[in-house]
Amino acid sequence: MQKKLIVLGSSNVDYILNVPHFLAPGETLAGDQYQVSLGGKGANQAVAAGRAGADVTFIAAVGDDDVGKSAISQFQQDQIDTGLIQVIENEKTGVALIFVNSEGENMIGIYAGANGAMTKEVVTPLLPEIGQADLLLMQLETPQEALDLAAEHAKQSGVRVVVNPAPARALSDRFLSYIDIITPNETEAELLTGVKVETEEDAALASQKLHEKGIEVVIITLGKKGAWVSQINAFQEIKGELIPGYRVKAIDTIGAGDTFNGVLVTALLEGKSLLQSVKLAHAAGALAVTKKGAHPAIPWREAIDQFYLQNSIED
């Protein structure tokens, strides 16, 4: 029987403008391409999991606008169970304003909209569904009170908790103690641990500090370098190593980290090893940066498997 994934997170519409370089204060700059697509870290990760073949239910909030209706329809096409998505009356679906420079890097401003309505009161009736899942995946674009409640209930119910701590912000030790797997990038790892991550030694030190908070697996994503993967084994020993990524020509990095997370948890639920799961997630993330946008760039499983087989040595 296929294991059950619940993603709790944000759903946005992305307004994306490609520009030669990031704007300076007071600067007006003509863009060379404009795109509107669905996004939001939670939605991106749910879509990545759905397209990768997971049995995934998405808990999110959208507005009672056309964008919200369109998002729910698109999620269903991406093999996502939308039964727990909340439609908030008299509210707009969240918005992300995104600039992408000529190097494929991005900078993002967010209006939470309906995402801000994902409160403790909204999540409480959904706790039985969370408790019946095998894995709960969350990010930080949802109010912290909802994340705290969901993580605590999941932990008490024996549900594995995975958190992508983005956008970067400080987290309480109590919340961190509920997490089984955490997937920060270098900036997020530094904020959580105080360690500036520039080398493998830095990544190992930052991972150790997160392990000391009770987290079993730490995966620090390092962009084109790959990911530092650290785990506490049955003998309470910490084992860490760098798992290199795949070299591709990046066109747009929007959603690449979300794709990584969605495919990572899908592979873990399939019973793949942590090493194999990270490699498959790397393959998906590599494919995502070769296309523009968030949802439009997230690959389907057939493409991921094909890329993985063509570019990987035997595990």
Side-chain angles (χ1 to χ4, degrees):
M1 183 176 177
Q2 192 174 15
K3 291 186 175 181
K4 180 71 177 177
L5 167 66
I6 286 184
V7 177
L8 191 162
S10 58
S11 178
N12 294 328
V13 58
D14 293 343
Y15 296 93
I16 306 166
L17 182 64
N18 288 77
V19 292
H21 57 265
F22 292 142
L23 283 74
E27 180 180 11
T28 299
L29 188 62
D32 56 20
Q33 187 169 355
Y34 173 67
Q35 178 181 5
V36 180
S37 68
L38 295 176
K41 298 195 72 61
N44 293 343
Q45 293 180 20
V47 168
R51 293 183 184 179
D55 178 4
V56 53
T57 297
F58 187 27
I59 296 177
V62 298
D64 60 353
D65 49 13
D66 290 340
V67 173
K69 295 173 186 175
S70 175
I72 291 174
S73 177
Q74 181 60 55
F75 295 147
Q76 292 168 350
Q77 294 178 46
D78 286 321
Q79 315 301 318
I80 296 168
D81 183 339
T82 60
L84 300 184
I85 293 179
Q86 311 295 302
V87 178
I88 309 301
E89 292 185 4
N90 302 315
E91 183 56 273
K92 295 185 182 298
T93 300
V95 170
L97 305 177
I98 304 174
F99 290 100
V100 181
N101 70 11
S102 60
E103 302 298 317
E105 300 169 323
N106 61 74
M107 58 191 304
I108 305 173
I110 294 172
Y111 167 67
N115 294 307
M118 187 57 68
T119 61
K120 209 165 47 167
E121 289 73 22
V122 171
V123 172
T124 296
L126 309 179
L127 292 179
E129 296 281 353
I130 292 173
Q132 292 173 15
D134 293 286
L135 189 149
L136 172 66
L137 172 62
M138 302 189 297
Q139 319 76 35
L140 303 182
E141 288 179 343
T142 300
Q144 189 63 46
E145 64 178 42
L147 302 179
D148 289 340
L149 183 64
E152 181 177 17
H153 183 76
K155 192 73 170 179
Q156 291 172 348
S157 303
V159 178
R160 206 168 191 191
V161 178
V162 181
V163 172
N164 173 223
R169 71 168 181 246
L171 295 171
S172 70
D173 285 350
R174 181 177 179 182
F175 180 67
L176 291 172
S177 72
Y178 300 140
I179 299 173
D180 296 292
I181 302 174
I182 195 166
T183 62
N185 62 19
E186 303 104 308
T187 302
E188 294 148 6
E190 180 179 358
L191 181 61
L192 292 172
T193 67
V195 177
K196 189 173 182 62
V197 179
E198 295 180 328
T199 66
E200 291 182 31
E201 290 75 16
D202 297 333
L205 179 57
S207 295
Q208 181 178 341
K209 290 182 176 294
L210 289 169
H211 287 311
E212 290 170 355
K213 304 293 186 182
I215 302 173
E216 178 190 351
V217 176
V218 178
I219 301 172
I220 301 178
T221 55
L222 304 170
K224 62 182 67 175
K225 296 178 186 175
W228 179 263
V229 180
S230 182
Q231 184 173 23
I232 300 177
N233 65 21
F235 303 101
Q236 297 301 302
E237 300 169 328
I238 297 175
K239 301 291 184 181
E241 63 178 314
L242 179 68
I243 308 299
Y246 299 96
R247 293 194 174 275
V248 294
K249 180 174 176 54
I251 295 176
D252 180 344
T253 59
I254 297 170
D258 296 330
T259 300
F260 176 94
N261 279 276
V263 175
L264 172 75
V265 296
T266 300
L268 290 171
L269 286 170
E270 290 173 351
K272 290 181 170 55
S273 70
L274 181 60
L275 175 62
Q276 290 173 321
S277 298
V278 170
K279 288 184 175 181
L280 197 68
H282 273 328
L287 284 171
V289 303
T290 63
K291 294 183 180 180
K292 292 182 179 295
H295 286 202
I298 296 171
W300 287 82
R301 184 58 176 266
E302 183 178 357
I304 298 169
D305 287 342
Q306 183 177 17
F307 181 93
Y308 179 79
L309 291 172
Q310 290 174 346
N311 292 276
S312 297
I313 59 174
E314 186 176 349
D315 290 326

